[in-house]
């Protein structure tokens, strides 16, 4: 339950006192005085209700003013946002964005053409190798495979003839990992 305001509590106490006094005056036969006290009691209650209603009206007005101020701030913020967007659109319009996209497509086509040319040169280098060169390379590969097979047969047959290197006694040197090179990626800013 909501707490009663102080003035309502005081008014209730005064009203009770006036009612008790009016009863006492009426019991003494002073009805006219008792009626005046009851009128006073009703007047005080009515006056408190009227003041309370005025106070509520003032509070509603304060709330409305605050609400309207908030609305005005929102409208002003929206206007500032619209103006900022307008400035940005004036700086870079739809045609500018379309031109930028066309330029990017053109650059992509140039890049693809360069890659195509470079790729054809690599293929043409392989095509220029004569068939004789390729046959000679094939024979070398076959000879390597045959020698590997013979080594395998020799080691399988007689392990006693196998000579192994000495075990190293010195500590192994530290090996540094090579630095990783990351490809550079071109970044293109596009206005939204």
């Amino acid at each position: 339950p909501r707490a009663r305001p102080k003035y309502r509590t005081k008014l209730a106490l005064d009203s009770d006192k006036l009612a008790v006094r009016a009863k006492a005056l009426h019991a003494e036969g002073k009805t006219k005085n008792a009626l005046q006290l009851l009128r006073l009691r009703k007047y005080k209650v009515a006056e408190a209700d009227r003041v309370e209603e005025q106070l509520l009206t003032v509070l509603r007005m304060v709330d409305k003013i605050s609400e309207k101020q908030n609305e005005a701030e929102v409208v002003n913020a929206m206007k500032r946002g619209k103006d900022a967007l307008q400035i940005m659109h004036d700086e870079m319009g739809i045609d500018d964005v379309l031109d930028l996209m066309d330029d990017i497509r053109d650059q992509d086509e140039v890049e693809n053409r360069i890659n195509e040319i470079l790729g054809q040169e690599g293929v043409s280098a392989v095509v220029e190798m004569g068939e004789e060169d390729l046959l000679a390379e094939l024979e070398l590969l076959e000879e390597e495979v045959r020698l590997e097979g013979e080594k395998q047969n020799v080691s399988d047959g007689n392990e006693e003839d196998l000579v192994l290197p000495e075990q190293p006694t010195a500590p192994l040197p530290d090996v540094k990992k090579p630095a990783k090179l990351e490809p550079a990626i071109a970044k293109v800013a596009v206005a939204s």
Side-chain angles (χ1 to χ4, degrees):
R2 215 170 95 178
R4 270 182 137 178
K6 282 185 180 181
Y7 71 90
R8 280 289 182 183
T9 306
K10 185 175 183 324
L11 179 64
L13 288 173
D14 286 347
S15 180
D16 290 343
K17 285 180 186 177
L18 287 173
V20 169
R21 194 157 171 214
K23 282 181 192 178
L25 286 173
H26 182 59
E28 294 173 10
K30 298 179 182 178
T31 306
K32 194 175 187 181
N33 289 342
L35 289 174
Q36 283 181 342
L37 286 179
L38 289 176
R39 279 189 195 105
L40 178 63
R41 177 177 171 233
K42 284 193 179 276
Y43 172 77
K44 283 187 172 190
V45 170
E47 188 64 21
D49 289 343
R50 188 182 62 76
V51 169
E52 191 172 78
E53 189 60 39
Q54 288 175 345
L55 180 61
L56 287 174
T57 302
V58 169
L59 290 175
R60 280 189 216 112
M61 287 174 52
V62 168
D63 285 344
K64 277 280 191 208
I65 291 169
S66 176
E67 184 179 310
K68 292 300 177 186
Q69 285 174 337
N70 289 339
E71 286 176 8
E73 287 178 24
V74 168
V75 168
N76 287 333
M78 290 171 68
K79 185 177 179 190
R80 286 191 305 271
K82 187 224 33 124
D83 291 344
L85 282 174
Q86 184 66 44
I87 290 169
M88 291 172 68
H89 290 148
D90 289 345
E91 288 176 7
M92 179 168 282
I94 293 173
D95 293 335
D96 295 330
V97 173
L98 290 173
D99 290 344
L100 177 64
M101 296 306 292
D102 287 341
D103 290 346
I104 290 171
R105 271 190 230 99
D106 291 345
Q107 291 304 315
D108 284 344
E109 288 174 14
V110 168
E111 182 67 24
N112 290 338
R113 184 68 182 131
I114 289 171
N115 288 337
E116 185 180 308
I117 291 169
L118 290 175
Q120 286 177 352
E121 285 185 12
V123 170
S124 65
V126 172
V127 170
E128 289 176 6
M129 276 184 107
E131 194 170 321
E132 295 172 8
D133 294 334
L134 291 173
L135 287 173
E137 187 175 343
L138 181 62
E139 286 180 16
L140 282 173
L141 289 172
E142 288 176 348
E143 182 66 23
E144 286 178 14
V145 169
R146 189 181 57 75
L147 288 174
E148 284 293 323
E150 287 178 5
K151 277 185 182 178
Q152 188 67 30
N153 289 340
V154 169
S155 65
D156 289 344
N158 191 1
E159 292 182 18
E160 295 172 5
D161 294 339
L162 188 60
V163 177
L164 297 176
E166 293 282 324
Q167 179 178 354
T169 56
L172 296 175
D174 289 334
V175 177
K176 294 182 181 176
K177 291 184 180 181
K180 252 188 177 178
L181 294 177
E182 295 185 19
I185 298 173
K187 295 183 179 180
V188 177
V190 178
S192 58

